[in-house]
Amino acid sequence: MIEIKNLHATVDGKEILKGIDLTIGPGEVHAIMGPNGSGKSTLSYVLAGRDGYEVTEGSVSFFGKDLLEMEPEERAAAGLFLAFQYPVEIPGVANTTFLKSALNAIRKKRGEPELDAMQFLKLVREKTKALSMTDEMLKRAVNVGFSGGEKKRNETLQMAVLQPKFAILDETDSGLDIDALKIVAEGVNALRSPERSMLVITHYQRLLDYIVPDHVHVLAFGKIQRSGGKELALELEKNGYAEFGVNEAA
Amino acid sequence: MAATTETVEQVRAVTEQKYKYGFTTDIESDVAPKGLNEDIVRFISAKKEEPEWLLEWRLKAFRAWLEMEEPRHWAKLSYPPIDFQDAHYYAAPKMKDRPKSLDEVDPELLKTYEKLGIPLREQEILAGVEGAEGKSPAIAVDAVFDSVSVATTFKAKLEEMGIIFCAISEAVHKCPELVQKYLGSVVPYTDNFYATLNCAVFTDGSFVYIPKGVRCPMELSTYFRINQANTGQFERTLIIADEGSYVSYLEGCTAPQRDENQLHAAVVELVALDDAQIKYSTVQNWYPGNADGVGGIYNFVTKRGACRGRNSKISWTQVETGSAITWKYPSCILQGDNSVGEFYSVAITNNFQQADTGTKMIHIGKNTRSTIVSKGISAGRAQQTYRGLVKILPKAEGARNHTQCDSLLIGDQCGAHTVPYIENRNRTARVEHEATTAKISEDQLFYCRQRGLSEEDAVSLIVNGFCKEVLKELPMEFAVEAQKLVGISLEGSVG
Amino acid sequence: MATTTLTKAPRGYDPAAATPFLEQFDRVRDGLPGGGLSWLNDLRAQGRARFAELGLPTVKNESWRYTNLRALDKLAFQPAAGTGEAVRFDVLPTVRADGATGPRLVFVDGRFRAELSSTAGLPAGVELLNLADALTRKPDLVAEHLGRIAAPDDQTLVALNTAFLADGPVLHVPRGVTVEETIELVFVSVGSEAQPTAFHPRGLIVAEADSRAVIVEHHVGLGSCTTLSNGVTEVFVGAGASVHHYKVQREHTDSFHLSHTAAKVAGKGVYDNFILTIGAKLSRNEVNSVLDGEEGDTHVSGAYMVRGGQHVDTTTFIDHAKPCCTSREVYKGVIDDQARAVFQGKIIVRPNAQKTDGYQQNRALLLSDTAEIDAKPELEIYADDVKCSHGATVGELDDDQLFYLRARGIDKDTARGLLIGAFLSEALEEIAEESVRDAFQSYVANWQNAR
Ligand SMILES: Nc1ncnc2c1ncn2[C@@H]1O[C@H](COP(=O)(O)OP(=O)(O)OP(=O)(O)O)[C@@H](O)[C@H]1O
Ligand SMILES: [Mg+2]
């Protein structure tokens, strides 16, 4: 469903991604691990189409279409979802308003009927409950004053409502307490289906106990250095990234 | 729920067209010859069959105006000179007499109001109210077309409670003592160039009196519309809230799309006596001119409220999205001890619009409090200025003011300016002013777009969030409309 | 019908007020230094013409709405030529440790006093001298810079100063040179018993690329004669250079102190200005800082404390003319008795000055029932990718803090004193130079002790 070939990207003139090759098939869950600053978030931003990330080489095809040609909202409508490492605050805009606008914008682009207020509320309430979030959080402005963990839960809620075909979870586990981690993981697992794929970025093998990946990749120095099964995560947990030439102290 | 349905429909229509009020109505008008002189002032007064004292007052104002200079030097506005002789100072839809009921109103006129989405027909509203499960309060409407009030709804029902809500020209005959006592008592006829002009030539407007202890059960509302070409509109509104009373008043404005500029110079006076409260909300959507800055309304308005009584409160809420030029400073004179003044404002300028707007809070009484929240959004080549004065006089022990002014710029051709004046002459008073200017963050935009919103919708959403603090002060009926307006006003400002 | 008549004088000026000054000018003109320099004569003539046209500003002038100069009109100031020559000094103000010496220029009633001045301790190539001498010794340096950023056209008081300009400090720091020693400029007003006297000091500071200098101005008064100091200083901050410019004004309370400082900061340059105002009957400090190159930085801060019938006016103007610059402004003041303070601070961000970061904070405490503060912070912004904010608070001491101290057993007056001291100290924190901060702190303490 997504095929990344020899992807190079620069930020502010500095090359961060130096030739990424990655293919993810329908229903697959891939995990990316790698030291800080190795380019994991950069990859997710490039895929989502953020301004300022310049692709200098390579290609990405998404359901056979050229992903890099699309506007961010077109990518979203095509089914790409990014759970941000640092979710953004939008003062004054209620969470529900935001979600409803997003959902209906996507439905409209897909030629599906928009949901009215009642249908929407029903849907959101259901998902909120499943993630142990409160209605009060829905009324509050998007991410404003949310704790780190609450923000991550909010990202998961949005994913559950928007039902993407391909979700990138950028460190969605960081900042979550033990119970929340389980809840979020359950939420993610509930979305797993033969058509839906995921790219899970994480530093901790713990998350992968809950969301069991089909493949694990190590990203360092802007390249995928090694790929393997879920046992690779355990190995990294034990040995760190030293074998990839990463100085622990740095 | 006719009122609400209408509003919703109107909003839907609004979203489909840039300026949907740009039609003109083809009705016969009764128009005074162009120009301004004492004879015109007498003509207007005679048309209205006004008492002698009012004519005298108008003439005094006119003579004072002749001596005044147009205030062009301090506001941050630029526009070609206005030829005050090249306008009609009186235009009225032709009617045999004042209509006794709505059935006598020109059907063309009623159609106009229907197009505007104003729930004018009393029976419709009444029907709506009965079926409204008491949820949404009804709205009583006074409609002002060019210079005269053409219809006021709900009058009878209000009269039962002793509330007077009618055209000011009618009030002059109906309750002359009240009019004479309060007219010009907040904005004197010498106040400023435009207000003085208004005193001389005002043609109509709304009058409200809420008797002691009465809580007005519905929103009172006026819709202003400029239709006739080359007409200045000079309406005058006077609202008096007697001791312990409460009223919420809404004002909406539209004008047809014309290439030439039209002048609007209104005066609004509010008087709140002991323990009284007036909430005054405006959604101003006069024609702003086209994308090249041609045409549009010049809106020079003097709005002022006097908190005369102890514990009285006046709050102004405004959403200003229209007009080529806006010059407007709704103010509060906090005279009564413990009185409260509030000013909540959203102003949006796009294309070539210019706005110089803000408020004045004059603290005279003890423990008077004021709050100012101003949200300015500037896009295109627009220029916008917040200008405000907070003045604490020596006797205003314990006075408090808090001001928050935030500006948002969209695009690199526009300007946003903040000019607050703070004058404090009391040691125990505390005045706090904060202002910020920023642009919509790239992060917020990207976040929204990642979730599937188009750039334009994302901007509208973020800007609405930015204005939330003010929009939530609006009555329900207006809030929906205002939110849509925020989006529409910014169309074409991104991408 | 209102007709717009073309008025002769621009709105907000009183041209008649120029007359006494112009008469004096015509009398002293021939005696002014540098009379042989035609460019200088032209500049003076330009100043004279502009001042003749405008005269003094009135309260109808937006920039002068809170400060009335009518008192100047009544006093018929005479030029200060020759006054104060005989005065001897035991101690001159300094921020240096006891007994230490360093580079210093002293001016008495606007005229240079060589025997009190010294250029000891300056690195080679650095020029520190008075303007009258500079006109003969360094005419090119002066010609290149004088009147370039404080042009007589802009402001009537600058025009007045330009017409009369005779003497003042000149500093030139060559490229790449750091002046370690703090340079002190001492201005003493003495005046004359016979009549009010006026002088118009004119300063010039030129810091070439990548140089650095710290300058402290002291303005003090001797005796109690009425004087008017109408100073103008131009500061050129070269690319990557940094100029720290501090000033304390402690003139006696019969003096009038008007001052205009105009700085122009090139790319990556730093201009740091701090003014402490304690003295004068009426004072106005105008500080204009133009960020004229990318990544420039300016700090314009100060503190004032006034009592009796004093009037203090601070009017600042920060001009973000180029992208990626930062500005920071913190002003604090306390106002006692019938004194009155005015703060007008404007930040302008020009079109294309993207990535501007501007911050302004202005706080004032009123200590008496008859004190008054008028503030007008102002933002004028024409670029969209900017972050600008200003805040102003005026009022009394914080009740909660006062209560907290009293609850710990401190009596009310002591508690108030502590809080006022803390309030002002916070402003002094803006001074980067420790020796200067300490010296200024002691002036603040003295003022408080006298309460
Ligand atoms: N605007 C920028 N200018 C210069 N360098 C940047 C910019 N944005 C990101 N970088 C650099 O790109 C590199 C990759 O950053 P990225 O956020 O993709 O790392 P990451 O792998 O997600 O790290 P972490 O595990 O800490 O989240 C880092 O070295 C970062 O400093
Ligand atoms: Mg990351």
Side-chain angles (χ1 to χ4, degrees), chain A residues 11-17 34-45 52-53 85-86 170-171 201 203 219:
Chain A
V11 186
D12 276 348
K14 184 176 151 195
E15 184 163 67
I16 309 286
L17 301 184
N36 293 133
S38 56
K40 303 181 296 296
S41 296
T42 304
L43 175 63
S44 65
Y45 287 141
Y53 289 75
Q85 182 178 6
Y86 305 106
D170 191 353
E171 297 196 22
I201 297 171
H203 285 294
L219 180 64

Side-chain angles (χ1 to χ4, degrees), chain C residues 284-442:
Chain C
R284 164 142 159 154
N285 282 300
E286 295 175 357
V287 183
N288 290 7
S289 184
V290 183
L291 291 158
D292 198 39
E294 296 193 10
E295 295 178 48
D297 181 20
T298 192
H299 293 212
V300 174
S301 297
Y304 56 84
M305 51 216 81
V306 284
R307 60 162 71 99
Q310 283 181 285
H311 178 110
V312 56
D313 175 333
T314 303
T315 296
T316 65
F317 179 66
I318 291 174
D319 187 345
H320 283 265
K322 293 282 154 62
C324 306
C325 294
T326 52
S327 65
R328 176 180 168 86
E329 186 167 3
V330 176
Y331 261 90
K332 291 197 167 189
V334 293
I335 310 142
D336 205 350
D337 303 332
Q338 301 82 255
R340 185 172 172 196
V342 177
F343 174 84
Q344 307 185 111
K346 180 165 177 170
I347 300 176
I348 185 165
V349 179
R350 306 275 175 190
N352 303 323
Q354 301 292 13
K355 307 255 183 268
T356 285
D357 188 345
Y359 172 84
Q360 184 196 76
Q361 182 69 45
N362 152 240
R363 294 186 62 193
L365 282 183
L366 297 182
L367 301 183
S368 85
D369 289 332
T370 43
E372 179 174 347
I373 166 81
D374 298 302
K376 185 187 166 202
E378 199 177 336
L379 295 172
E380 191 172 331
I381 295 172
Y382 298 94
D384 61 336
D385 191 4
V386 301
K387 213 172 79 194
C388 279
S389 66
H390 69 211
T393 52
V394 305
E396 221 186 357
L397 287 170
D398 188 274
D399 284 339
D400 294 341
Q401 291 177 353
L402 202 58
F403 176 73
Y404 187 77
L405 291 180
R406 292 177 71 191
R408 294 286 173 272
I410 300 166
D411 72 82
K412 195 174 171 185
D413 283 346
T414 313
R416 283 180 71 96
L418 274 173
L419 290 175
I420 294 165
F423 174 81
L424 289 167
S425 296
E426 250 183 293
L428 298 183
E429 290 299 320
E430 297 295 317
I431 301 174
E433 219 48 43
E434 200 181 333
S435 61
V436 180
R437 189 167 60 232
D438 291 348
F440 282 23
Q441 185 73 59
S442 68

Side-chain angles (χ1 to χ4, degrees), chain B residues 98-133:
Chain B
R98 259 201 83 76
K100 298 281 179 304
S101 78
L102 283 170
D103 296 336
E104 287 178 33
V105 176
D106 189 328
E108 279 291 320
L109 205 68
L110 288 182
K111 257 193 241 161
T112 303
Y113 284 106
E114 251 169 52
K115 276 196 225 170
L116 293 172
I118 303 167
L120 239 192
R121 285 180 168 275
E122 223 164 329
Q123 58 271 33
E124 267 182 34
I125 295 172
L126 281 170
V129 170
E130 274 155 20
E133 298 152 318

